[in-house]
Amino acid sequence: MKKLLITLFLISIANTQVFSQVKKNKTMIKKVIKTEQEWKQTLTEQEYYVLRQKGTDRPSQGGLTSHFEKGTYHCAACNLQLFKSNSKFESHCGWPSFDDAIEGTVNFVRDTSHGMIRTEIICAACNSHLGHIFDDGPKETTGKRYCVNTTSIKFVEGEK
């Protein structure tokens, strides 16, 4: 039990240091503020569930998991550009995966739900739930895997 508490304490300290470093590099993003009633009127039932209630899509739901066209991925709630297509990779986890976000567009929140300690990623403009970030991404790039719900993003085609 003592080892578990020490481990949790060390993870907590490490997470705090990561968050404080991330905050120093953020760029200013215009905030989108709506009431929950306004979000319910704007979003579909599934979008509201994932983006506002922190739900999770079923694996491979929505078709963006194996989608690799050139363009950008935007927040489905507020249209903020979040990810470039060149940061997307196939992780075989069942959800769209990116190794990096566009600087300043994603905020990180400690998530202790479901008996786990994870880092939630949310849209910097509207605070909508996007998914979680993990340290099992491509080692040759960032080593990060932004595991994103398909419902929380929409693809905007780029130049061909």
Side-chain angles (χ1 to χ4, degrees):
M1 182 66 172
K2 186 176 179 181
K3 285 183 180 181
L4 176 63
L5 290 174
I6 291 170
T7 302
L8 290 174
F9 175 74
L10 292 174
I11 290 171
S12 161
I13 290 172
N15 282 342
T16 302
Q17 290 173 350
V18 168
F19 293 133
S20 64
Q21 290 172 357
V22 170
K23 289 179 184 176
K24 292 177 188 175
N25 296 327
K26 282 191 181 175
T27 56
M28 294 301 293
I29 299 290
K30 184 178 179 185
K31 293 290 185 180
V32 175
I33 301 170
K34 293 184 180 185
T35 65
E36 288 308 305
Q37 188 59 39
E38 289 171 320
W39 284 121
K40 283 182 182 179
Q41 292 171 349
T42 304
L43 303 171
T44 68
E45 191 174 313
Q46 178 66 13
E47 288 171 336
Y48 186 80
Y49 166 68
V50 171
L51 291 158
R52 306 307 303 169
Q53 295 181 314
K54 302 178 188 282
T56 302
D57 289 328
R58 292 182 180 176
S60 301
Q61 181 178 341
L64 291 179
T65 303
S66 298
H67 181 264
F68 290 97
E69 291 182 31
K70 187 175 181 181
T72 55
Y73 294 83
H74 297 227
C75 175
C78 72
N79 203 35
L80 180 67
Q81 286 185 331
L82 302 168
F83 305 98
K84 294 180 182 177
S85 58
N86 63 352
S87 68
K88 192 167 188 303
F89 69 97
E90 179 57 74
S91 66
H92 304 286
C93 71
W95 291 272
S97 297
F98 303 85
D99 68 359
D100 205 2
I102 296 171
E103 185 178 346
T105 63
V106 173
N107 289 334
F108 306 90
V109 178
R110 185 170 183 194
D111 178 2
T112 57
S113 64
H114 307 294
M116 297 179 273
I117 299 173
R118 303 178 291 175
T119 301
E120 177 188 11
I121 52 175
I122 62 172
C123 174
C126 67
N127 293 331
S128 288
H129 173 74
L130 303 171
H132 292 86
I133 187 170
F134 302 97
D135 290 324
D136 60 359
K139 298 295 181 212
E140 60 276 4
T141 59
T142 64
K144 301 293 183 192
R145 175 173 57 96
Y146 291 73
C147 185
V148 180
N149 288 291
T150 298
T151 299
S152 68
I153 55 176
K154 60 184 177 180
F155 176 73
V156 176
E157 190 174 357
E159 293 179 20
K160 291 199 175 195

